[in-house]
Amino acid sequence: MRKLGIPLLLVLLFFLAGCSKAIPAEDAAKLFVDQVVYDKDAKKFTANFANGDELNKGFKENEKNFKDNFTAGLISVGDAVSEDEANELTELLNHQIKEVTSYKVAIKEAGKISNITYEVKGLDFAAIMKETSKGITQKIMADNKLASDQNKIIEETLQLLRENIKVAKAKEEAVPIMIEMKPEKGKWTIVRGQREQINNLYFAFVAGVKDQETLTNDWNKAMEEVAKEVQAELK
């Protein structure tokens, strides 16, 4: 009987380990956003997502890409912006995202897979760009000397960015992004082949749009509106 005790105990342990349940789908959905967007609960995230470390690397890459595009896209001479200035602007942006953005979760079960739709009211990034461009244009129109001083233009643009980011609001219209997740052996995992959807979820919070193409279109539209407003002032 003693010899059977240890094998029986091992079988019981394996059985109990196999019976461990993943956290509820809604909790997993919120935990995913906490890590993807708000960069918190990293330990809890990796404890409840099977591919947590791999996903974390992707999230950091998204953040870096957006930071690079952010400074280079808003300022035509982006290479003149220091790394410290770029980091400062990104930190201000991340802070405002945490302050004003919101989301709701809707879950539909499809067998073992949970189709999680995030309704995101993200930051109105186009408004930040529009107000910054409008502000620097007005400054140049008011001071002809400023137009010939590139360093001063960059300085003024950065200051306007800081001010506009600090008062930026979330969009009123929500952006729907769907992510497929499923539980495996007590942990959640993101169904493979969804890199684009994860990127889009990040964009929904950071820019209030569904993808990079929409952000570019919004940016072009904002610049057209600024140009029309400036022309109207000149008449």
Side-chain angles (χ1 to χ4, degrees):
M1 291 295 293
R2 290 181 180 180
K3 292 182 179 179
L4 293 174
I6 294 177
L8 184 61
L9 179 61
L10 290 175
V11 170
L12 180 61
L13 289 174
F14 278 119
F15 175 76
L16 291 174
C19 289
S20 62
K21 290 185 178 180
I23 59 176
E26 186 173 355
D27 292 344
K30 293 178 179 178
L31 184 58
F32 187 73
V33 165
D34 281 345
Q35 182 61 19
V36 173
V37 181
Y38 300 126
D39 194 23
K40 64 180 184 179
D41 288 336
K43 289 184 178 179
K44 188 175 180 181
F45 177 77
T46 53
N48 287 282
F49 277 80
N51 49 348
D53 290 333
E54 179 184 345
L55 288 168
N56 271 330
K57 291 179 181 179
F59 302 155
K60 293 299 181 183
E61 184 179 335
N62 280 343
E63 184 177 345
K64 182 180 184 303
N65 290 340
F66 187 83
K67 183 186 76 171
D68 294 342
N69 292 331
F70 171 53
T71 52
L74 286 180
I75 304 170
S76 59
V77 284
D79 57 349
V81 180
S82 71
E83 184 68 21
D84 288 342
E85 288 169 328
N87 288 335
E88 178 193 3
L89 291 172
T90 304
E91 288 176 7
L92 287 174
L93 193 66
N94 287 337
H95 174 78
Q96 199 64 10
I97 289 167
K98 295 174 183 178
E99 289 291 315
V100 304
T101 62
S102 62
Y103 71 97
K104 293 182 179 179
V105 173
I107 301 173
K108 289 185 178 181
E109 303 295 342
K112 293 183 178 181
I113 295 176
S114 293
N115 295 322
I116 299 174
T117 299
Y118 295 92
E119 295 284 344
V120 181
K121 291 186 177 180
L123 200 65
D124 193 344
F125 193 69
I128 297 174
M129 296 188 289
K130 179 180 178 180
E131 290 304 312
T132 300
S133 297
K134 183 179 179 180
I136 195 62
T137 301
Q138 290 175 336
K139 285 179 177 290
I140 292 173
M141 291 172 59
D143 183 2
N144 293 330
K145 293 181 180 179
L146 182 59
S148 59
D149 190 338
Q150 193 70 8
N151 290 330
K152 186 64 175 177
I153 290 177
I154 294 172
E155 181 183 335
E156 293 288 346
T157 301
L158 290 174
Q159 184 57 36
L160 285 168
L161 274 173
R162 294 185 189 98
E163 294 171 0
N164 290 326
I165 290 172
K166 289 177 181 179
V167 298
K169 298 180 180 180
K171 282 192 170 183
E172 295 183 3
E173 184 178 355
V175 176
I177 305 291
M178 197 271 284
I179 304 288
E180 294 181 343
M181 302 182 187
K182 63 180 180 179
E184 289 184 350
K185 298 180 180 179
K187 290 189 175 185
W188 284 89
T189 184
I190 306 300
V191 177
R192 291 193 176 278
Q194 294 189 96
R195 181 62 181 271
E196 183 178 353
Q197 289 93 318
I198 295 172
N199 291 346
N200 290 346
L201 180 63
Y202 183 79
F203 260 103
F205 278 93
V206 175
V209 295
K210 64 179 182 179
D211 52 32
Q212 176 68 58
E213 182 180 357
T214 305
L215 179 59
T216 300
N217 291 337
D218 283 358
W219 162 246
N220 291 334
K221 182 180 178 180
M223 293 305 95
E224 290 174 2
E225 291 174 355
V226 170
K228 289 180 180 179
E229 291 174 10
V230 170
Q231 289 175 359
E233 292 178 9
L234 293 174
K235 291 182 179 179

